[in-house]
Each structure stands twice: as structure tokens, then as C-alpha cells.
Amino acid sequence: MKYTEEYQIEFKDCDENRRLKLPALVDLMMQVSEHQLSQGGAGTDDLVKRGLGWVVTQYHFEISDLPKPGDQVILSTEASGYNRFFEYRDFGVSTADGKPLVTVKSQWVMLDLKKRHMVPADTKMMEDWGALLLKKMPRFPRLRARDNYEHIRPYRARYDDLDTNHHVTNSHYFSWFVDMLDRNFLKEHIVTAIDIKFDKEVHYGESINSCMDLVQDDIVTTYHVIEAEDGTVKAVCELSWRKI
Amino acid sequence: MKYTEEYQIEFKDCDENRRLKLPALVDLMMQVSEHQLSQGGAGTDDLVKRGLGWVVTQYHFEISDLPKPGDQVILSTEASGYNRFFEYRDFGVSTADGKPLVTVKSQWVMLDLKKRHMVPADTKMMEDWGALLLKKMPRFPRLRARDNYEHIRPYRARYDDLDTNHHVTNSHYFSWFVDMLDRNFLKEHIVTAIDIKFDKEVHYGESINSCMDLVQDDIVTTYHVIEAEDGTVKAVCELSWRKI
């Protein structure tokens, strides 16, 4: 079942170039799926009572354009399938007359919050959401950290980076990626695709390194990794860009 | 004229203790006043066309409680008066049945964006908003930086801290304040009052120091300053707390 909601893009959602910020985009995706799930008794609070929580493992974004302040958009989400351990969810942002701006595919696991390990998909919940049992694993790009990166900057996970699950919100990683790019580059380029894989949590107060390589072929691609100080990979990400 | 809007508090607006984050509170205040002003042809975009922009100089908050995810609240705002150079605006957050949670008084100046200096109040605009010409300056507490602070931490203004006016968003300062406090302190205390005075802008990429003293008298007060690396004061703030 596809769930949709209208939303007006606010100034606070946008960067200095009047484009929807990537962290705000991800926050809006989480917001619309929370609304769908909580209406069906499977929202964050319902799951916490059962000792469970969703954790995203990978996103794939395709972006034709990013909305600006005052734009009326339609946010959509749908549980698109599941198998034994993974759940798949699609998201969309389109203009008021239905032109797609952003489409997202994502892969999730359900976590036992106390034991911190994966639990198998809740078959009944998935069926309630109209999600189909998938015979084949949907394919996401295989992302690997590079051996080394040209640009590195340390960041520390701040109090406001935490969500109600006491984790650094996954939307926040995009601030660490985007902040690595030159301000002029961000003025002249718009993201067209994003692939990100989340490997390990970043904890409150932890210092991480945000690492980046910019590669200019036919298209401009930036390769990112978030690493712990000991080099442990926390997340790997690739962003494709087009010149405006 | 008082302007009101309903709003549902989202998970993304709240900290790990399920309380509305201070930066999100300020963002919502800006959102509701933007909606009022843009309906009257005096929104951010209308002013930019005239080369003008609002800059806040001081806020005074009184907070009886902070809403949590899913709460339906009423946001309100009103241009409460003006004199030659200053404009005054009130904000409120109340429960759906009208119980006040947060009330805010604020002082603003209008800036010529090119010349970067204050321009006198636009009398016609003020009258259109039903704001009265004030004979006496409303009093805000006089805030002064202390000679030295026990706790100091450096921060760097990131790309996502910028707003569409190319400035570090004023809501963001509250992240720099709150992050100075101990995580357990934040679990056990709630803000009851805030006074903040903005002196100088923080620029993109600039490194600042967030400085804090915690003083435990009858009530717990934290004293904050945001300073440039050369010691120039950017903003002074006092937060009062009560134990939960």
C-alpha cells in the first residue's frame, strides 16, 4: 500500500542555494513512513514497546531535481517487499502535479533493541502492509571503502545528532558528506544519485573522520566514507553530481 | 494581529529524551512568522527583492514544558510593536486546548543586505501588521559575557548550518549551547527560561568556541558565550533549568 502526504517545503529545510538539504530530505522520508506505520500500530513507539526498532542498511536515491522553499510536494512511501531478514521500502518526492523529483529504494533490518541483533521479518506485519515475500534479493550496488582518501576532516557526534532511539540519526551522515565539498562546488552542482551503506553505528561523543575523493569523469562522482578513529568503516557513500 | 497554526511535533524535532529540541523550536518560530509575513507580501523572498532582511538581536523564552513526538500544538506569532530602529515580535507554543508551553519575546532590526547596516523600521509595514509604535523600549535582560568560562569546546560552522540568507541560522547556536552539557544532565533537567543576545555573525567555515559555566544556586543556571578564536563575542546566552 502506497501512502502519500502533501508537504510544503520550508526555508529551514533548504540550503543557501534554496535546495532541499539532503538531511532534511531523509528526515521527511522518515516522517512520512512514521505516519504510515503509526496509523497501522507499527510506529516507533509501538515497536519500542515490543523491544524492536528499524535500522536502515542501504539507500539508493535517484534525483531529477530538489524542491525549494514554498514548493508544495507529495511525499510517498511503500513497503515494497521482504525476505527472511530484510525489509524493503520505497520513498518518493514529487511535484504537486505528480512529476517525480526524488525516488528512493531502501533496505532495512529489524533490531532487538536490548540484544542489539537482527530479528527475522515479522511476516504478519509485512502482509498487513501489503509487502510481498520476495524470492530474489533486490540488488543494491556493492559499495566498498577506498584504500585512502584525499580529503579528511574530523567530526564529533553531538547531542543534537541523536534521535529518540539514542543513536546518531542516519540523516545526519549527509551533513558530514556534503560539508566536505567546496561551497562553490555546491552552488554549481546538484546531486543526481546517491548510494549509501550503513555498516556500524556512530555513538554519542564519538569522533569520526569524514573522508572524500572527488572524481571527474563523464560525470562528477564523490566517494565518501565515515570512519572511526581506528579506521573502522561506519558508512560508505557515493554521490553523483551534475553541473547546473 | 496574532497568527496561529496547528503543528504536529515530529520525531525529527525531538531529542533522545523525546523533548522538542531548542533548535527545532526556533525553526518552528521562524516557520510560523514566515507564513504570516509571506501571506502579507513581506516574507523572506519579498524582502530580498527589496534588498532587506530581518536580523534578530535578542530573545527571551519562558518554558513551562516542551512537547514530545506526536503532540498536536498551536504555534502563534504576533508583531507586538516597534520604535525607530527595533521591531518586536512574540511567539508562542501551546497545547491543542490552549495551555501555554513556550512564550517568547524577541527584538529585531531590519538590515540592508548589501550595505550590511540597519535601516529604520518600515512604519507602513508595521501598521499593516497591527504593530504599535512604542514610546518606551521594551526591556530585555542585559547580558554580558563572563571574564572566563570553565568549559570550552571548539566548533566549526558547517555548510548545513547556513540558511538561504547565507548566514549561520540563529537556531543553530542552541546546538552549540546544549551540546556543552552532560548527557545525564540533559536527561534529568528541562529548560525553564532562556535569554540570548546576538552580537556578531558567525561566518561559514569559521571556528568558534562554545564556552559554558554551570552555576547551581536555588535554580541551576548555565552561562554561555559563543566567541571567535580571537575572543570576539558572537552571542551571549543564559539558560535556567529545573530538575525533573
Side-chain angles (χ1 to χ4, degrees):
Chain A
M1 284 165 296
K2 195 166 172 175
Y3 174 89
T4 63
E5 254 179 27
E6 290 175 23
Y7 180 78
Q8 176 178 304
I9 303 293
E10 303 288 345
F11 277 93
K12 69 162 188 267
D13 301 323
C14 295
D15 65 19
E16 64 165 344
N17 297 307
R18 307 170 61 87
R19 291 178 207 125
L20 180 61
K21 291 180 191 182
L22 298 182
L25 166 60
V26 177
D27 281 339
L28 289 174
M29 287 157 46
M30 297 307 99
Q31 181 171 315
V32 69
S33 62
E34 173 67 23
H35 291 173
Q36 179 184 43
L37 292 166
S38 63
Q39 284 184 12
T44 302
D45 283 348
D46 304 295
L47 289 184
V48 165
K49 278 177 202 154
R50 295 168 57 191
L52 299 172
W54 289 113
V55 175
V56 67
T57 60
Q58 196 149 354
Y59 284 123
H60 170 73
F61 291 70
E62 292 181 15
I63 298 169
S64 61
D65 206 356
L66 289 168
K68 59 180 198 306
D71 282 358
Q72 301 287 336
V73 297
I74 299 164
L75 307 174
S76 63
T77 189
E78 182 170 25
S80 54
Y82 71 101
N83 50 34
R84 182 156 156 66
F85 275 111
F86 293 101
E87 295 84 7
Y88 299 91
R89 181 168 280 275
D90 297 341
F91 298 93
V93 180
S94 60
T95 62
D97 53 5
K99 187 184 150 224
L101 299 172
V102 180
T103 58
V104 184
K105 296 194 171 296
S106 62
Q107 177 178 271
W108 299 75
V109 292
M110 194 168 260
L111 211 67
D112 181 310
L113 293 175
K114 238 183 196 158
K115 296 183 191 156
R116 310 301 300 166
H117 65 53
M118 275 166 46
V119 296
D122 182 328
T123 311
K124 185 175 172 309
M125 190 195 290
M126 290 298 115
E127 281 171 3
D128 286 351
W129 292 114
L132 296 175
L133 177 63
L134 305 171
K135 286 181 191 157
K136 268 193 180 176
M137 290 275 283
R139 281 211 199 158
F140 283 79
R142 188 170 267 217
L143 298 176
R144 281 214 194 87
R146 304 186 138 210
D147 290 336
N148 47 59
Y149 291 84
E150 198 179 343
H151 306 277
I152 299 179
R153 185 182 284 144
Y155 292 88
R156 181 183 146 276
R158 300 177 187 172
Y159 187 76
D160 272 341
D161 302 338
L162 298 176
D163 57 28
T164 58
N165 278 334
H166 315 288
H167 304 148
V168 172
T169 314
N170 73 69
S171 63
H172 190 72
Y173 288 64
F174 293 90
S175 282
W176 290 331
F177 300 138
V178 169
D179 192 43
M180 296 299 291
L181 285 150
D182 188 81
R183 191 179 184 179
N184 282 325
F185 178 91
L186 293 169
K187 198 172 177 180
E188 293 165 2
H189 292 81
I190 188 169
V191 177
T192 56
I194 307 171
D195 282 290
I196 178 168
K197 181 166 67 88
F198 296 93
D199 283 340
K200 297 230 183 293
E201 275 180 56
V202 176
H203 299 101
Y204 167 71
E206 187 177 356
S207 285
I208 56 89
N209 288 317
S210 178
C211 313
M212 183 194 72
D213 270 348
L214 189 154
V215 177
Q216 178 116 29
D217 284 328
D218 293 345
I219 53 167
V220 179
T221 308
T222 54
Y223 297 89
H224 303 259
V225 73
I226 303 296
E227 283 183 355
E229 284 180 325
D230 68 1
T232 307
V233 171
K234 302 284 197 174
V236 188
C237 181
E238 294 181 18
L239 300 171
S240 305
W241 303 84
R242 72 173 158 80
K243 197 147 191 199
I244 295 166
Chain B
M1 284 164 295
K2 193 165 172 175
Y3 174 89
T4 63
E5 255 181 23
E6 289 176 24
Y7 180 77
Q8 177 180 301
I9 304 293
E10 303 289 344
F11 277 93
K12 70 163 186 269
D13 300 325
C14 296
D15 65 19
E16 64 165 345
N17 297 307
R18 308 170 61 85
R19 291 179 207 124
L20 180 61
K21 291 179 191 183
L22 297 182
L25 167 61
V26 177
D27 281 339
L28 289 174
M29 287 157 46
M30 297 307 100
Q31 180 170 315
V32 70
S33 62
E34 173 66 24
H35 291 174
Q36 180 185 43
L37 292 165
S38 63
Q39 283 184 14
T44 303
D45 283 347
D46 304 295
L47 290 183
V48 165
K49 278 177 203 156
R50 295 169 57 193
L52 300 171
W54 288 113
V55 175
V56 66
T57 59
Q58 195 148 355
Y59 285 124
H60 171 73
F61 292 69
E62 292 182 14
I63 299 170
S64 61
D65 206 356
L66 289 167
K68 58 180 199 307
D71 282 358
Q72 301 287 338
V73 296
I74 299 164
L75 306 174
S76 63
T77 189
E78 183 170 23
S80 54
Y82 71 101
N83 50 35
R84 183 155 155 68
F85 275 111
F86 293 101
E87 295 85 7
Y88 299 90
R89 182 169 279 275
D90 298 339
F91 299 93
V93 181
S94 60
T95 61
D97 54 4
K99 189 185 149 223
L101 299 172
V102 181
T103 57
V104 184
K105 298 197 169 296
S106 63
Q107 177 178 271
W108 298 75
V109 292
M110 194 167 260
L111 210 68
D112 181 309
L113 293 175
K114 238 182 196 160
K115 298 182 190 157
R116 311 299 301 164
H117 65 53
M118 274 166 47
V119 297
D122 182 329
T123 311
K124 187 179 170 306
M125 189 195 290
M126 289 298 114
E127 279 172 4
D128 286 351
W129 292 114
L132 296 174
L133 177 64
L134 304 172
K135 285 181 193 158
K136 268 194 180 175
M137 290 274 283
R139 281 211 197 158
F140 283 80
R142 189 170 267 216
L143 298 176
R144 281 214 194 88
R146 304 185 140 209
D147 291 334
N148 47 59
Y149 291 84
E150 198 179 346
H151 306 277
I152 300 179
R153 185 183 282 144
Y155 292 88
R156 181 184 146 274
R158 301 176 185 172
Y159 188 75
D160 272 340
D161 303 338
L162 299 175
D163 58 28
T164 58
N165 277 335
H166 315 288
H167 304 148
V168 172
T169 313
N170 73 69
S171 64
H172 190 72
Y173 287 64
F174 293 90
S175 283
W176 291 331
F177 301 139
V178 169
D179 193 42
M180 295 300 289
L181 285 149
D182 187 79
R183 190 178 185 181
N184 282 325
F185 178 92
L186 293 169
K187 196 172 178 181
E188 292 165 3
H189 293 80
I190 188 169
V191 178
T192 57
I194 306 171
D195 281 291
I196 179 168
K197 181 166 66 89
F198 296 93
D199 284 339
K200 296 230 184 292
E201 275 181 57
V202 176
H203 299 100
Y204 166 72
E206 187 177 356
S207 285
I208 56 89
N209 288 318
S210 179
C211 313
M212 183 193 73
D213 271 348
L214 190 153
V215 176
Q216 177 116 30
D217 284 327
D218 293 344
I219 53 165
V220 180
T221 308
T222 55
Y223 298 89
H224 303 258
V225 73
I226 304 297
E227 282 183 356
E229 285 180 323
D230 69 0
T232 308
V233 171
K234 303 284 196 172
V236 189
C237 181
E238 295 181 16
L239 300 173
S240 306
W241 304 83
R242 72 174 157 80
K243 195 147 192 198
I244 295 166

